[in-house]
């Protein structure tokens, strides 16, 4: 399968980029860290004082991982497929999963930090993860709104078959009737 970036529409591009950023933030950036007087003590004792999304969100990490991976898959399949069946199906799944992910991350990042509030503080990675999941939600929804195939990927002439088993006019080289009864070219 050849990747043709020209097939990507805005929705798939935003979802794919959001998926990359979400997975990057899940594994690489710090989501939560200890604060207050416990932080220096924990560091002296060798305990971890910062946590990425993968280690901090043990219940949500698989949902976040699947959402990010499917957002990337949506962009990949849109760029490699002429037919819209797989990208359209993926855009539905990505939109639903991104909505669920956004709701859970709003709760975990903005409302209820995992752990005691006086000890654990949010870091930039948590906000980056939330913003990228919102971008995936937008991209999946925008992809749903733009279903279809590009004119360059569509068939130029669709062969028809008559009820008696004979090839229709398009298969015999005769121009097919246009929308107003005339011939199309």
């Amino acid at each position: 399968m050849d990747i043709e970036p020209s097939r990507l529409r805005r929705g798939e591009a935003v979802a794919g980029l959001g998926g990359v950023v979400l997975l990057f933030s899940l594994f690489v950036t710090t989501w939560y860290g200890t604060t207050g007087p416990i932080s220096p003590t924990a560091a002296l004792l060798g305990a971890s004082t910062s946590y990425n999304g993968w280690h901090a969100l043990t219940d949500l990490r698989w949902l976040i991982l699947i959402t990010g991976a499917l957002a990337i898959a949506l962009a990949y399949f849109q760029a490699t497929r002429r037919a819209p069946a797989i990208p359209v199906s993926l855009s539905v799944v990505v939109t639903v999963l991104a909505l669920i992910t956004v709701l859970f991350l709003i709760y975990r990042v903005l409302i209820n930090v995992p752990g005691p509030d006086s000890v654990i503080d949010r870091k930039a990675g948590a906000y980056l993860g939330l913003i990228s999941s919102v971008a995936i939600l937008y991209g999946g929804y925008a992809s749903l709104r733009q279903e279809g195939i590009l004119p360059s990927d569509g068939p130029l002439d669709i062969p028809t078959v008559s009820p008696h088993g004979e090839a229709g006019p398009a298969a015999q080289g005769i121009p097919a009737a246009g929308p107003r009864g005339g011939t199309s070219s």
Side-chain angles (χ1 to χ4, degrees), residues 4-5 10 21 33 63 73-74 77-78 80 86 99 104 106 110 119 124 140 148 151 157 160 166 170 183:
E4 291 185 33
R10 179 184 299 186
V21 172
L63 176 65
L74 171 63
F77 283 120
Q78 181 64 36
T80 59
I86 293 174
L99 177 64
F104 277 121
I106 285 174
L110 300 178
V119 177
D157 195 12
T160 59
E166 305 168 353
T183 58

Side-chain angles (χ1 to χ4, degrees), residues 80-99:
T80 59
R81 301 286 193 260
R82 288 180 59 201
I86 293 174
V88 168
S89 301
L90 272 176
S91 65
V92 171
V93 173
V94 165
T95 303
V96 171
L97 283 177
L99 177 64

Side-chain angles (χ1 to χ4, degrees), residues 130-142:
L130 178 60
I131 291 169
S132 62
S133 64
V134 169
I136 294 171
L137 177 61
Y138 167 76
Y141 181 73

Side-chain angles (χ1 to χ4, degrees), residues 1-9 11-17 19-20 68-83 86-88 90-91 94 143:
M1 297 280 161
D2 293 332
I3 295 177
E4 291 185 33
S6 63
R7 287 187 181 139
L8 285 178
R9 298 171 299 205
E12 291 90 10
V14 169
L17 183 62
V20 169
L70 286 179
I72 296 168
L74 171 63
Y76 172 77
F77 283 120
Q78 181 64 36
T80 59
R81 301 286 193 260
R82 288 180 59 201
I86 293 174
V88 168
L90 272 176
S91 65
V94 165
S143 176

Side-chain angles (χ1 to χ4, degrees), residues 18-19 21-26 29-32 53 57 60 64 67 97-112 122-138:
V21 172
L22 182 63
L23 293 180
F24 173 80
S25 72
L26 180 66
T29 63
T30 302
W31 283 47
Y32 302 101
L57 302 171
L60 293 179
I64 296 169
T67 302
L97 283 177
L99 177 64
I100 294 168
T101 303
V102 165
L103 293 175
F104 277 121
L105 285 180
I106 285 174
Y107 178 72
R108 271 301 179 204
V109 173
L110 300 178
I111 298 171
N112 186 14
R122 298 168 200 92
K123 301 294 182 187
Y127 296 109
L128 184 63
L130 178 60
I131 291 169
S132 62
S133 64
V134 169
I136 294 171
L137 177 61
Y138 167 76

